[in-house]
Every structure is written in C-alpha cells, then in structure tokens.
Amino acid sequence: MTKKIKNNVYWVGKIDWDLRKFHGDDYSTHKGSTYNAYLIKEKKTVLIDTVWEPFAEEFVENLQKAVDLNSIDAIVINHGEVDHSGALPELMKHIPDTPIYCTAHAVKSLKGQYHQNWDFRVVDTGDTLDIGNGKSLTFVKMAMLHWPDSMAAFLSGDNILFSNDAFGQHYATDKLYNDLVDPCELFTEAVKYYANILTPFSKILQRKLEEVLALKLPIEMIATSHGVIWRDNPLQIVEKYAEWANDYQENQITVIYDTMWNGTKTLAEKIAEGICLADPGVTVKVFHLAHTDPNDVITEVFKSRTVVVGSPTIANSVLHSVAGFLHMMKGLKFKNKKAATFGCYGWSGESPKVLKDLMEDAGFRCMDAGLKNLWNPDEKAKEAALDYGKAIAGF
Ligand code: FEO
C-alpha cells in the first residue's frame, strides 16, 4: 500500500496491527504500531527509512509497485534501529550501490547490525541534499533522541519534517493523520511513548527543541516513523514534548504494590483512601504490579508528583515484581518526584527500608522510613495506614 501525503511525497510503510510487544518483550503495544517509510519523487527519488525486518520482502515488493528501484537516487536512514533499517539488507540486494545518507553514528550501528560496506554518506546538522525542482532535504542530528545515531530531515518546499522516532506513537491506524484519529487514543499512546522511551533524555530534548525552533523551519507536517503524521497544528506535539521534558507532573499520587496474602494490598487501599480523604483534589491511582502492564504503570508514574510503593518482606527484601519495576523506573531517571513506602511482614520486616533505598537510588525524595505492619493489618493498623495516606497527601 502506498499513500500520497503531499505533492510528490508518499507513505510506503507498514501497519503492524498484530504487534503486542516491542523492544523484545520490554514495551507493550496494545494498539500495534506502524513503521513509516516515505518516498519522495522529485527530480531525484529519495527513500526515507524502511521497515522492520519481518516485513522486508513485503516492503520491497510494495516499493517496486511505486517506483523502479533503480531510479532511487538516495536512501536517508534517520535511525539505525531495526524497526526502521530492518528492510535495508533486502532492499540493497536490488540496489547495492545506492548511497545511504545518515549520521556517523548510524554508519556504526548499520555496519554493526548488517556487516555491509554500503555507500554511506555521512551528514551533519545543517547539511543539505538537493533533490531538484527547487527542493532540498536539510538534516538535523537528534543524538540521544533516542539513540546516538538519531536524525531528522526537513523537506523544503513541502515543509515536512521527517522526525523518525521523535513525536511518534505505537499506534496502528489506517487513518495516517492526527486529525483523523481519536485524540484520546493518540495522546494516550504519545505520552506512553514519551514516558517509557524518552524520559531519560528530557534535558537533551529541551536543548534540541530550542535548537530546532531557532532554525524557524516552516513546519507544515511532522512525518514520524511510528503512528500518525501530525498535519493538523503539527507544533502541538512539539509543545507537548516541551511540557513533558520539563520534569512533567500532574496533581496525581500513584500507589503501586505487590502482595502475597493481601496484607500489603489492604495497606495500599487504606493509604489511597487516606490520600483521598486528606486531599480530594488529588488524583489517586492504585496498581497491583503483578496484575498490571508495567509500561502502563510507568506512564502513571510519569504523571505523578508522588509514588507510593509497597511490598511485603520476603527473604529480607521485596517481591521481584516490585524490584524489577523499580529497576526499570530508575533507568528512566525521573526528576522532582516524591515517594513513600510500605509493606507487611511476619518476622524481619526489611521491605519498607529496602524500598526507600531503591526509590532514593532512583532519584525520588522519600517522606520517611516507610510504614511497616506486622502480620495482616487489624483495625488499628488500617487506621495507621489511613493516617499514613493523609500524611502522604500533605508531603
Ligand atoms: Fe522506532 Fe528507535 O526505533
């Protein structure tokens, strides 16, 4: 399938309706994804990005229907990760001498993955590729958004920014444009993508957004490599990114826990109740980690001002579901967030302290040493958890 997106620019990507996990099994994709590739047919014919390897043959067959492969003058690879470069080996079997424009880091990643000495043409920020008919592609390095090799390309004349992963969403849709899809679904996936992939690079992103905006490119469309193309008010997603990159938080407190015999669950729910009683204006959400998709919980952490974490004590530590989640959270380098911890125990009772240490190690400011409760909570312990929640609301 090929779709014209503007004048001589065509979408030649793949909609992956069936995808439910991405980055191995590390990122849930409840709504599938797309791998967006684009073909520009001006005086020169240019392909921007490809698709994931399982769809390589299908991609090349589709491309052959849209263009004589031998007429492709240049391939732009904005990012070497396999979901965008995976069809290169199949394509290059047909056109092995076609130059590939990419960053120096992308040469390393493409060589490292495919072990081929293709005709790489290294580009830097501000370099241009004249494609004829008065149009050109200007390259902008997007290092660490989210790989060292990431890059964007701006097509003058049509004023399209091919942004690759930036501003994308794992969202399979046949509608292609932001104004044709459900905005709730779209922004749910866009914020999940930011929270789970881009949060650690927020400071770099802030500087890059300033740099790109200073170029005063007349952007009329942002053609991402996943999900929709932003054509209706395309800068709205740039403004959202600026907001999200600025240590984003809402008036939300999220309680996350795992439990063995429901004692810690009882504490979680009483703590949540206490927060609600003390501050009806705050949004409180409670997640049983072992029963909930971790990427969805990360998105809720991203939106939170305070995160309350609970686990019973087991083997002088905490349940592995909680430990694994906190490890994942640490990697995302959240800033300016607070925390509290809790858990039931039968004899040694280390879990609140272990959780406190883990949360502090992840950059959170903890309220205190945490709430711990011997055996299952009785009425007095439930009252203490309620009061603990009230204290958290004011922290
Ligand atoms: Fe969509 Fe970083 O690959």
Side-chain angles (χ1 to χ4, degrees):
M1 184 167 54
T2 299
K3 289 184 180 179
K4 179 174 181 165
I5 64 166
K6 190 172 186 183
N7 298 325
N8 297 318
V9 184
Y10 300 84
W11 177 90
V12 290
K14 170 68 186 176
I15 304 172
D16 192 349
W17 298 101
D18 194 33
L19 189 78
R20 288 296 175 268
K21 292 284 183 181
F22 187 79
H23 280 162
D25 281 346
D26 211 48
Y27 185 113
S28 60
T29 48
H30 306 312
K31 296 195 184 312
S33 192
T34 72
Y35 317 106
N36 299 333
Y38 301 95
L39 185 68
I40 307 169
K41 296 204 289 193
E42 293 294 348
K43 195 167 178 187
K44 284 188 177 169
T45 300
V46 180
L47 174 70
I48 297 190
D49 294 323
T50 72
V51 302
W52 189 26
E53 187 274 336
F55 305 107
E57 285 186 23
E58 179 184 335
F59 170 75
V60 171
E61 279 170 24
N62 186 45
L63 196 61
Q64 279 172 321
K65 289 178 193 155
V67 70
D68 173 1
L69 297 184
N70 290 302
S71 73
I72 296 176
D73 297 288
I75 299 168
V76 172
I77 292 292
N78 277 329
H79 175 30
E81 196 164 8
V82 292
D83 49 328
H84 308 297
S85 68
L88 259 186
E90 181 64 26
L91 178 63
M92 297 309 276
K93 284 183 201 165
H94 299 263
I95 47 172
D97 299 325
T98 306
I100 296 172
Y101 291 76
C102 61
T103 63
H105 279 296
V107 175
K108 289 185 206 167
S109 67
L110 294 170
K111 281 188 174 177
Q113 293 174 103
Y114 306 118
H115 316 292
Q116 300 291 324
N117 278 314
W118 292 316
D119 180 7
F120 295 109
R121 309 282 176 94
V122 172
V123 295
D124 208 335
T125 293
D127 288 352
T128 59
L129 175 64
D130 186 346
I131 60 169
N133 302 331
K135 296 181 182 178
S136 63
L137 283 164
T138 300
F139 303 107
V140 182
K141 288 207 294 193
M142 303 280 276
M144 299 319 297
L145 299 172
H146 66 123
W147 272 21
D149 69 7
S150 298
M151 177 176 88
F154 179 72
L155 174 60
S156 68
D158 294 318
N159 297 329
I160 302 172
L161 181 71
F162 298 98
S163 64
N164 198 264
D165 281 334
F167 315 121
Q169 334 85 44
H170 286 303
Y171 183 27
T173 171
D174 65 322
K175 294 291 180 271
L176 204 57
Y177 301 105
N178 67 308
D179 52 301
L180 299 183
V181 299
D182 178 339
C184 294
E185 282 189 350
L186 172 58
F187 277 93
T188 296
E189 295 305 328
V191 72
K192 177 178 176 178
Y193 191 95
Y194 188 97
N196 283 272
I197 295 178
L198 291 169
T199 300
F201 311 114
S202 287
K203 289 291 166 249
I204 297 171
L205 180 67
Q206 282 180 319
R207 289 196 294 275
K208 184 53 69 176
L209 289 179
E210 283 168 17
E211 185 188 320
V212 171
L213 291 173
L215 295 173
K216 297 199 183 310
L217 301 172
I219 297 169
E220 292 176 17
M221 240 183 218
I222 297 178
T224 66
S225 59
H226 295 294
V228 299
I229 295 170
W230 300 89
R231 71 172 179 187
D232 175 46
N233 183 15
L235 291 184
Q236 66 178 296
I237 189 63
V238 180
E239 286 158 13
K240 271 288 169 202
Y241 266 44
E243 202 182 324
W244 292 338
N246 191 24
D247 298 345
Y248 182 77
Q249 57 180 242
E250 299 174 10
N251 187 18
Q252 176 171 329
I253 298 177
T254 301
V255 181
I256 56 182
Y257 71 95
D258 197 356
T259 193
M260 291 169 74
W261 300 109
N262 287 338
T264 301
K265 177 179 181 171
T266 300
L267 294 182
E269 294 187 353
K270 279 291 164 191
I271 288 169
E273 197 181 324
I275 299 168
C276 295
L277 284 172
D279 184 356
V282 71
T283 297
V284 179
K285 295 188 183 179
V286 182
F287 297 100
H288 184 167
L289 272 176
H291 295 171
T292 316
D293 181 289
N295 300 111
D296 292 340
V297 182
I298 286 289
T299 309
E300 298 302 334
V301 168
F302 176 74
K303 293 192 279 184
S304 298
R305 63 175 164 94
T306 303
V307 177
V308 190
V309 193
S311 169
T313 297
I314 179 168
N316 306 112
S317 187
V318 298
L319 287 169
H320 71 85
S321 56
V322 182
F325 183 81
L326 297 195
H327 180 75
M328 183 178 175
M329 212 171 61
K330 179 186 173 185
L332 293 169
K333 300 184 172 68
F334 290 109
K335 300 278 188 303
N336 196 29
K337 294 189 190 294
K338 293 180 278 192
T341 63
F342 64 97
C344 287
Y345 68 105
W347 49 101
S348 61
E350 291 92 341
S351 68
K353 173 71 165 63
V354 170
L355 292 173
K356 175 179 185 283
D357 291 346
L358 289 171
M359 289 303 278
E360 286 179 343
D361 191 39
F364 288 69
R365 184 161 67 84
C366 289
M367 182 170 81
D368 57 17
L371 174 76
K372 62 181 186 178
N373 182 70
L374 184 60
W375 301 115
N376 261 350
D378 58 11
E379 289 309 311
K380 195 175 161 200
K382 288 178 190 171
E383 202 59 37
L386 199 75
D387 289 342
Y388 195 62
K390 289 177 184 172
I392 290 167
F395 172 48

